[in-house]
Amino acid sequence: DGGITQSPKYLFRKEGQNVTLSCEQNLNHDAMYWYRQDPGQGLRLIYYSQIVNDFQKGDIAEGYSVSREKKESFPLTVTSAQKNPTAFYLCASSNPGLAGGPDTGELFFGEGSRLTVL
Amino acid sequence: DAKTTQPTSMDCAEGRAANLPCNHSTISGNEYVYWYRQIHSQGPQYIIHGLKNNETNEMASLIITEDRKSSTLILPHATLRDTAVYYCIVRVPRIYGNKLVFGAGTILRVKS
């Protein structure tokens, strides 16, 4: 089945260590996104990518890095520079739709990765 | 993208209709209204979207006011499994890289 797979689901790391969260999609979507969610809060955009080899900072990009070497993959690295990395991280993808074709624009989300820094 | 405002929480009796409002008074002419829901510790799930006409699918109905400044998501027969956080956002489809703004959403509690 088509979808978005995030791994790992749970991750524990010591303070000062970099950690990379995986996001893979087989929906053939061009655009991919990373969001962060803190308890009781909405989703905040970290980075997004419109196309392979291109990505843009979102609202809270400091302390994070991404790459988009393949259409299917958009990994997120949480670096030691991120002051409060403990959070729930969500990856999403979307396909705005072809001109004249079905107009969806909806986001498809993965199941999330919960990072805890000890 | 225009911002939205939603009530913090709502309760609904099982089997009754759940009506979730959303205010988007600054919506522009080419922005659609999208609804998602998030069950605890899972990724958000798309529910429905619309531009100006009312929309219905197997999950819900979306009623958009004539001036498009507000909308209501209707779950016709709420079940306990509909307990979740519901997000209303506005965006322009076919435009990559929207900084989609998700607020805190509405916590819907369906009670037996």
Side-chain angles (χ1 to χ4, degrees), chain A residues 30-31 33 35 37 41-43 45 48 50 59 88 90 96-98 100-101 103-107 109-111 114, chain B residues 32 34 36 38 40-46 49 87 89 91 93-105:
Chain A
D30 288 309
Y33 308 79
Y35 288 90
Q37 187 173 37
Q41 305 292 316
L43 282 66
L45 183 64
Y48 60 96
Q50 302 177 32
D59 296 318
F88 188 49
L90 286 158
L98 299 174
D103 186 3
T104 59
E106 71 228 46
L107 291 176
F109 284 86
E111 288 303 303
R114 189 169 298 279
Chain B
Y32 284 63
Y34 288 79
Y36 292 81
Q38 185 178 24
H40 183 63
S41 294
Q42 296 182 21
Q45 174 192 23
Y46 164 82
H49 75 284
Y87 298 100
I89 67 170
R91 71 171 299 192
R94 298 204 184 97
I95 302 297
Y96 288 113
N98 296 32
K99 288 187 178 181
L100 303 182
V101 179
F102 283 82

Side-chain angles (χ1 to χ4, degrees), chain A:
Chain A
D1 286 355
I4 298 181
T5 302
Q6 290 187 240
S7 63
K9 192 172 177 67
Y10 299 96
L11 187 60
F12 296 87
R13 279 293 182 268
K14 291 182 179 179
E15 200 170 325
Q17 288 183 329
N18 291 357
V19 60
T20 296
L21 307 180
S22 169
C23 179
E24 303 277 333
Q25 54 101 356
N26 59 4
L27 299 165
N28 201 33
H29 286 171
D30 288 309
M32 296 186 74
Y33 308 79
W34 273 105
Y35 288 90
R36 169 183 171 138
Q37 187 173 37
D38 294 285
Q41 305 292 316
L43 282 66
R44 292 185 291 167
L45 183 64
I46 305 172
Y47 268 98
Y48 60 96
S49 169
Q50 302 177 32
I51 200 166
V52 175
N53 293 321
D54 179 73
F55 50 82
Q56 307 293 330
K57 291 182 179 180
D59 296 318
I60 56 164
E62 185 176 350
Y64 299 98
S65 66
V66 293
S67 63
R68 188 83 187 278
E69 297 176 0
K70 298 186 299 181
K71 187 176 186 177
E72 310 80 43
S73 179
F74 191 41
L76 173 75
T77 297
V78 184
T79 75
S80 57
Q82 169 49 236
K83 297 190 187 314
N84 296 297
T86 294
F88 188 49
Y89 292 88
L90 286 158
C91 179
S93 71
S94 74
N95 192 359
L98 299 174
D103 186 3
T104 59
E106 71 228 46
L107 291 176
F108 292 80
F109 284 86
E111 288 303 303
S113 293
R114 189 169 298 279
L115 172 63
T116 302
V117 175
L118 306 172

